[in-house]
Amino acid sequence: MDFSSVTERITNRRAKEMYEFIRRNGTVSKIDLLDHSGMTVSTLTRLVEELTAQGLILESGFGVSTGGRRPTLYEMNSTYAYVFGLEISRTMSRLVLVDLSLNKLEDCSWKMSSEMTPQRLTALIVEEARLMMNRHALDSSKILGMGIGAVGPLDRLSGVILEPLYFPAPGWRDVDICSLIGEPLGIPVLLDNGANTAILAESWMDRARSYRHLLYIHAGIGLRSAIVSEGKVIYGAVDMEGSVGQMIIQTDGIPYRNKSGNYGALESYASLYAIERAAQSAVKKGRSTFLTQLVSDPETIEFHHIREALEKNDPLAVEIVTEAATYFGIGLANLLNILHPEKVILGGPLIAGDKHFFRIATQVAVQKAYYYPTYQVVFSRGSLGEEALAIGAAVMVMGYLTS
């Protein structure tokens, strides 16, 4: 969808650069802006006045004097506009409304059941977005747009979700999601892979540290990954949805859950699906476990049952999750040895669901990193938790102000 209504809010290129500097650094002085921009005082003053008149930035007091007049301080006006961020995943979809400082005004989530077709979900999203706008007295002119972080594969340029696997409901193929949501709301809508939006959010939260190379892996029903280098998301020739899950761990290993995948793929050993399948198989074989107190039919074991068993320190649950975490750590080590990121952020239901999985996986990865201990990588579960994909989708839209 056309985002010119956003990109043209700041028309001058140097003003865009100045606004981005303020946005990233919080409160800055006129001296900071002069040092960063290299502009003349008159040019800088004119652009600052234009941004202030538009309401994009605000004067926020005075800095400490260095001998002359105290310098004026400026900050981004967080309430200049608002943005929707939407996550569409296989287990849950989530809508958030945030201001330009990513302060959350509201959120709403929906379980992705067998009834949650594209038509049903988009109708609920449009209805809830309108209610949020009404509750906060916002008309469409105050909304920059909506970003969507979705399960792929997808075509981000045309705004279409292509052929995602394992949605509980039918109909999730060739879905023109941006039009289905944007047209009834009358706002521009932008689509990208959910892993890409999550890493945008986490890199934004880490902007003070200025990590140059970041790797994000989302572990849930499948595995999804994204890379940021020098502040930019790295895109491949095609959408890379799920490709990390096809990393081969054992060439003669477990068959993939459908014919399109590799034998011995990482996702077959370290995903919600893999853990549930291992637990179901063990119970069918008669293994003693707390899980039999939770379900009567092994085929109905789901990850939330395994989490409950973990809380009871059930030996079988611990064994299964430890093995999955070990395989995940091996795959992560392969990525470290190829990409050498400065920081790795792990997210998704599998990471959020069990702290031991994160600990074991990262320990294995470090042990198998080729240049360890010379190469030191930072591991994190992220600062935004389960909201990272939706918040990052909003960050993606905000970037158009300065593009």
Side-chain angles (χ1 to χ4, degrees):
M1 186 173 284
D2 183 15
F3 261 75
S4 61
S5 62
V6 180
T7 58
E8 292 173 3
R9 291 195 180 212
I10 307 174
T11 56
N12 184 287
R13 168 49 56 187
R14 305 201 76 178
K16 287 178 183 284
E17 293 171 358
M18 186 188 308
Y19 179 78
E20 181 67 11
F21 180 76
I22 296 170
R23 177 173 174 256
R24 287 192 169 273
N25 290 277
T27 303
V28 302
S29 70
K30 203 167 187 177
I31 294 171
D32 295 328
L33 292 170
L34 281 169
D35 290 343
H36 171 74
S37 67
M39 298 179 194
T40 64
V41 173
S42 60
T43 299
L44 179 71
T45 299
R46 176 175 57 81
L47 293 179
V48 165
E49 288 175 349
E50 289 178 3
L51 291 174
T52 304
Q54 285 181 262
L56 284 153
I57 64 173
L58 303 169
E59 292 187 6
S60 58
F62 297 94
V64 177
S65 173
T66 57
R69 295 173 57 186
R70 295 172 63 193
T72 303
L73 300 178
Y74 297 94
E75 66 182 12
M76 179 182 67
N77 179 7
S78 299
T79 61
Y80 166 77
Y82 300 84
V83 188
F84 285 110
L86 174 65
E87 172 193 357
I88 299 178
S89 292
R90 298 179 180 98
T91 58
M92 185 75 67
S93 289
R94 185 189 315 270
L95 179 69
V96 298
L97 175 63
V98 298
D99 67 17
L100 296 187
S101 290
L102 298 185
N103 298 309
K104 185 174 68 175
L105 279 70
E106 285 200 54
D107 71 286
C108 183
S109 59
W110 300 271
K111 183 178 179 181
M112 297 298 282
S113 66
S114 58
E115 290 77 38
M116 200 61 80
T117 62
Q119 293 74 23
R120 173 66 175 154
L121 180 64
T122 54
L124 290 170
I125 291 166
V126 169
E127 179 184 13
E128 185 59 35
R130 285 173 173 157
L131 289 172
M132 289 182 180
M133 291 169 67
N134 289 336
R135 285 193 289 267
H136 296 277
L138 301 174
D139 61 33
S140 58
S141 67
K142 291 289 286 185
I143 303 296
L144 284 188
M146 180 185 293
I148 304 175
V151 173
L154 50 82
D155 185 335
R156 62 190 180 89
L157 299 179
S158 64
V160 175
I161 297 175
L162 298 174
E163 298 179 78
L165 299 173
Y166 315 128
F167 268 79
W172 286 94
R173 178 171 180 167
D174 296 329
V175 179
D176 191 355
I177 194 72
C178 290
S179 295
L180 286 172
I181 295 173
E183 289 178 3
L185 287 176
I187 60 174
V189 179
L190 190 65
L191 175 68
D192 204 345
N193 188 304
N196 289 340
T197 65
I199 200 172
L200 277 177
E202 295 291 355
S203 62
W204 172 254
M205 299 303 291
D206 253 346
R207 63 192 183 281
R209 295 290 301 274
S210 298
Y211 289 107
R212 295 171 58 209
H213 306 294
L214 293 170
L215 170 66
Y216 174 84
I217 301 178
H218 184 275
I221 291 177
L223 302 181
R224 304 150 71 184
S225 64
I227 304 168
V228 160
S229 183
E230 304 290 357
K232 302 291 185 182
V233 174
I234 302 300
Y235 291 100
V238 296
D239 182 44
M240 296 185 290
E241 163 69 22
S243 58
V244 68
Q246 288 304 308
M247 181 190 304
I248 297 171
I249 302 298
Q250 293 186 7
T251 55
D252 60 345
I254 298 172
Y256 193 59
R257 59 194 299 191
N258 65 58
K259 294 180 180 179
S260 65
N262 292 317
Y263 282 92
L266 177 60
E267 195 173 290
S268 297
Y269 297 86
S271 62
L272 296 185
Y273 165 78
I275 290 173
E276 290 171 350
R277 187 196 61 222
Q280 292 164 5
S281 175
V283 172
K284 290 175 183 177
K285 293 175 182 176
R287 291 284 300 273
S288 177
T289 172
F290 179 73
L291 289 169
T292 56
Q293 299 181 37
L294 302 176
V295 298
S296 57
D297 180 1
E299 288 287 340
T300 63
I301 294 175
E302 296 182 356
F303 184 66
H304 68 89
H305 298 125
I306 299 166
R307 284 181 62 180
E308 190 172 342
L310 283 172
E311 292 171 2
K312 300 288 186 181
N313 204 30
D314 176 66
L316 177 63
V318 171
E319 174 189 320
I320 290 171
V321 171
T322 298
E323 183 176 73
T326 301
Y327 276 114
F328 187 86
I330 292 169
L332 184 54
N334 289 337
L335 294 173
L336 296 183
N337 291 331
I338 296 169
L339 302 172
H340 295 99
E342 295 171 290
K343 183 174 182 179
V344 176
I345 304 160
L346 303 178
L350 189 51
I351 303 300
D354 178 41
K355 62 183 178 181
H356 302 296
F357 186 97
F358 176 85
R359 177 178 55 80
I360 294 166
T362 53
Q363 286 177 350
V364 170
V366 166
Q367 291 167 3
K368 298 185 181 298
Y370 185 65
Y371 286 108
Y372 180 80
T374 304
Y375 167 50
Q376 293 286 335
V377 60
V378 176
F379 292 103
S380 170
R381 296 173 78 182
S383 56
L384 293 168
E386 294 182 355
E387 293 187 335
L389 278 73
I391 296 290
V395 173
M396 177 173 62
V397 173
M398 293 177 195
Y400 274 74
L401 275 173
T402 53
S403 67

